[in-house]
Amino acid sequence: MEVPGSRRRQLPVLLLWVNGLMTLGFAGARQRTDLCNESLMLEKLPACGKSFEEMMRKVDSKKWCNLTEFIMYYDNFTQCTEREANNASCFWPNPLAEGFITGIHKQFFSNCTSEKVHWEDPPDEILITLILIPVMLTCAMITLVVWCSKRSDIL
């Protein structure tokens, strides 16, 4: 008779044990316990920036705002920063890597501001026409429907 009662007391212990195994990664998922080595990452990131700078020298500075001119160079730069962050056991992007990338953006793309388009209303003649055409068509369709509904003998 003590068996069912002891099993009931062992159930929470068993559940805690299974939860512990899953938390430790025994169930198939590995947890990373490495700490981010920020100083190593900050030491390695400038090499990515230097490489990007050398590649950007190949592009005419007037074309720096045209992403299609240097997209491969920027992709290499992004992969380099991600690789160096991961080698230092840091996630990517992180605030330090973002700060470095922002510095590169300021260096190369600070003059690439997007011009805002100033929208204006069309001239009154065009605006009135664009408003009246749908209104007239709606009135014509309503008139046609009412006229056809009164002349049901034709349909």
Side-chain angles (χ1 to χ4, degrees), residues 9-154:
R9 280 184 249 131
Q10 291 175 349
L11 183 63
V13 174
L14 178 66
L15 291 175
L16 284 172
W17 181 73
V18 169
N19 185 28
L21 287 177
M22 292 182 74
T23 303
L24 290 173
F26 188 70
R30 279 186 52 209
Q31 285 185 337
R32 257 180 106 164
T33 56
D34 301 338
L35 294 176
C36 175
N37 188 344
E38 293 175 348
S39 59
L40 176 64
M41 182 183 64
L42 288 176
E43 183 181 306
K44 298 291 185 176
L45 285 180
C48 298
K50 186 171 177 71
S51 174
F52 181 68
E53 188 174 339
E54 289 171 4
M55 289 186 278
M56 286 298 285
R57 283 192 202 136
K58 299 175 186 176
V59 179
D60 183 19
S61 62
K62 294 175 186 171
K63 297 181 179 181
W64 282 0
C65 295
N66 185 357
L67 187 61
T68 58
E69 295 290 329
F70 61 88
I71 188 69
M72 291 301 294
Y73 304 146
Y74 192 80
D75 182 53
N76 290 340
F77 169 70
T78 304
Q79 288 180 7
C80 179
T81 57
E82 185 175 1
R83 183 176 52 251
E84 294 303 338
N86 288 334
N87 287 344
S89 300
C90 301
F91 62 92
W92 187 91
N94 59 56
L96 293 174
E98 285 177 359
F100 178 76
I101 293 169
T102 302
I104 293 292
H105 279 235
K106 286 179 183 175
Q107 179 181 351
F108 289 100
F109 313 120
S110 61
N111 294 329
C112 298
T113 56
S114 62
E115 297 176 12
K116 292 187 178 180
V117 177
H118 181 66
W119 295 98
E120 292 182 13
D121 286 337
D124 287 343
E125 298 82 26
I126 295 175
L127 189 62
I128 289 171
T129 305
L130 289 173
I131 292 171
L132 287 180
I133 288 174
V135 170
M136 296 297 216
L137 283 173
T138 303
C139 291
M141 292 303 292
I142 290 172
T143 304
L144 183 65
V145 167
V146 169
W147 182 71
C148 285
S149 68
K150 288 184 178 183
R151 304 215 16 129
S152 61
D153 58 330
I154 296 174

